């Protein structure tokens, strides 16, 4: 990719089960000049699709707008259920500066996309994180609170008027949050219990809003097919709170319930530094740096 500027986008769509719909939503990201589809994963329990792509700003903008239109047409949240909170067919669209771009440029791109999707699809849009127009809109959890069902009333409140689009929930596609942010690591830890209450209590124990780890959001999720539960975590700044800290705190919290960790997973892509940092911790490496990673030196 010989691109002068690179921005990453990780749109989340509320469809994790219908493979035909998923393929149609992902299609605008394939075979496009200036855009590269890096990864996409769908989860049936969460009923959610997470796509990771990078591109030059204008090409990325056009592809994302096209995919949002397809999702608005195909997904009806009146008939949607899943473990993951959601307020829209396209639930959240974050832009992340990667190469030769600033956070300010990512914010500008997010606002341009927000304006266009509101105009094209009659979709209410909230700007969040670095793009937020007020402090109470920065946190995605605050914006999403009430989800699709509660948004019909919430969006009429003066403090929750959308930044773009009508002050009325779209009848089938709900609302969407669009913004710019730091790289996020979606990290899930699986537990040896099917008791959702335990997973939920552990999630509350580790997340920042309840006095836990800074830059950690978490919730308990039931994985019915596997007969286990999960602490589903968003690490919003892995450079300040490492993955291993979340893992160890979950392990400590689980012990009081006689529960163990049976595995963990990363959804989508993850920065190399986040994994190197964790490997360095468990190996007890002294004075180790990213400059000692072969692939990192090659890519310089």
């Amino acid at each position: 990719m010989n691109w002068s500027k690179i921005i990453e986008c990780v749109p989340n769509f509320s469809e994790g089960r219908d493979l035909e719909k998923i393929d149609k939503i992902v299609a605008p990201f394939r075979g496009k000049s200036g855009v590269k589809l890096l990864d996409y994963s769908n989860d049936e329990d969460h009923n959610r699709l997470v796509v990771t792509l990078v591109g030059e700003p204008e090409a990325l903008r056009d592809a994302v707008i096209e995919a949002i239109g397809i999702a608005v047409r195909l997904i009806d949240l009146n008939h949607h259920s899943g473990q993951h909170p959601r307020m829209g067919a396209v639930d959240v669209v974050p832009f992340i500066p990667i190469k030769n771009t600033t956070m300010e440029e990512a914010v500008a791109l997010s606002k341009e996309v927000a304006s266009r999707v509101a105009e094209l699809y009659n979709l209410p849009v909230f700007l969040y994180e670095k793009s937020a127009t007020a402090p109470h809109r920065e946190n995605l959890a605050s914006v999403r609170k009430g989800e699709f069902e509660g948004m019909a009333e919430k969006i009429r409140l003066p403090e929750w008027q959308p930044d773009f689009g009508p002050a009325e929930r779209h009848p089938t596609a709900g609302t969407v949050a669009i913004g710019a942010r730091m790289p996020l690591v979606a990290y899930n830890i699986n537990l040896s219990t099917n008791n959702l209450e335990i997973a939920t209590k552990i999630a509350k124990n580790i997340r920042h809003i309840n006095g836990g780890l800074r830059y950690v959001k978490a919730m308990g999720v039931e994985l019915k097919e596997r007969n286990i539960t999960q602490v589903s975590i968003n690490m919003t700044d892995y450079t300040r709170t490492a993955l291993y800290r979340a893992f160890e705190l979950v392990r400590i919290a689980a012990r009081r319930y006689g529960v163990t960790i049976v595995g963990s997973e990363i959804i989508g892509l993850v920065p190399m530094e986040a994994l190197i940092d964790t490997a360095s911790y468990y190996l007890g490496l002294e004075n180790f740096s990213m400059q000692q990673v072969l692939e990192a030196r090659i890519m310089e």
Side-chain angles (χ1 to χ4, degrees):
M1 297 182 296
N2 189 24
W3 300 337
S4 59
K5 292 187 175 185
I6 299 178
I7 291 181
E8 179 186 17
C9 187
V10 190
N12 286 221
F13 302 93
S14 298
E15 179 54 71
R17 298 168 184 168
D18 190 320
L19 297 182
E20 184 176 348
K21 288 183 181 179
I22 290 171
D23 191 58
K24 289 179 180 178
I25 292 168
V26 174
F29 305 133
R30 302 184 190 274
K32 293 284 180 68
S33 176
V35 175
K36 183 174 178 61
L37 175 63
L38 298 179
D39 179 76
Y40 68 96
S41 58
N42 61 294
D43 186 290
E44 293 190 4
D45 291 302
H46 289 241
N47 200 4
R48 196 170 182 86
L49 167 68
V50 179
V51 181
T52 305
L53 61 148
V54 293
E56 296 177 296
E58 290 187 4
L60 184 66
R61 174 200 63 199
D62 294 344
V64 169
I65 290 172
E66 183 181 350
I68 289 174
I70 293 171
V72 168
R73 176 169 53 85
L74 295 179
I75 299 173
D76 184 349
L77 287 187
N78 294 289
H79 306 289
H80 179 278
S81 64
Q83 293 292 324
H84 202 288
R86 80 286 180 271
M87 64 179 185
V90 190
D91 196 55
V92 60
V93 183
F95 292 92
I96 304 103
I98 299 295
K99 177 186 176 184
N100 295 331
T101 56
T102 64
M103 183 61 74
E104 289 72 23
E105 288 176 292
V107 168
L109 181 61
S110 72
K111 291 180 178 180
E112 187 177 358
V113 170
S115 175
R116 290 289 290 147
V117 300
E119 178 185 354
L120 289 172
Y121 311 126
N122 203 35
L123 192 64
V125 181
F126 294 104
L127 296 174
Y128 85 112
E129 278 283 353
K130 302 296 184 182
S131 305
T133 53
H136 71 281
R137 294 170 182 253
E138 292 179 12
N139 190 326
L140 178 60
S142 299
V143 176
R144 189 193 280 141
K145 187 175 182 180
E147 299 189 44
F148 173 74
E149 290 76 11
M151 193 59 69
E153 296 298 325
K154 178 180 178 180
I155 201 171
R156 294 190 174 96
L157 299 174
E159 64 270 29
W160 287 110
Q161 292 285 298
D163 293 289
F164 295 95
E168 185 176 359
R169 186 194 70 181
H170 189 286
T172 58
T175 58
V176 61
I178 300 178
R181 61 162 172 78
M182 285 283 292
L184 175 149
V185 180
Y187 180 50
N188 301 330
I189 300 175
N190 298 331
L191 305 174
S192 64
T193 177
N194 60 6
N195 188 330
L196 180 59
E197 184 178 357
I198 292 176
T200 300
K201 286 181 177 179
I202 293 172
K204 287 181 178 179
N205 189 56
I206 71 164
R207 66 192 182 200
H208 179 249
I209 196 172
N210 293 114
L213 294 173
R214 189 70 176 94
Y215 306 109
V216 167
K217 301 177 181 179
M219 66 179 184
V221 173
E222 184 180 13
L223 304 183
K224 292 183 179 181
E225 289 190 2
R226 298 179 60 181
N227 197 34
I228 61 174
T229 53
Q230 177 184 88
V231 180
S232 181
I233 306 170
N234 278 345
M235 311 285 295
T236 60
D237 191 341
Y238 69 90
T239 66
R240 299 190 181 188
T241 299
L243 269 65
Y244 65 79
R245 292 185 65 194
F247 183 87
E248 290 297 340
L249 189 54
V250 168
R251 178 155 58 186
I252 292 168
R255 190 176 300 158
R256 67 179 296 191
Y257 301 105
V259 171
T260 60
I261 292 174
V262 296
S264 66
E265 63 179 357
I266 288 173
I267 304 299
L269 302 187
V270 58
M272 182 189 301
E273 185 179 0
L275 297 181
I276 295 298
D277 188 33
T278 295
S280 178
Y281 172 81
Y282 283 112
L283 293 174
L285 299 178
E286 297 181 3
N287 303 316
F288 188 80
S289 76
M290 281 291 291
Q291 294 301 309
Q292 293 174 258
V293 179
L294 176 63
E295 288 83 359
R297 292 296 293 273
I298 292 172
M299 291 186 294
E300 286 181 348

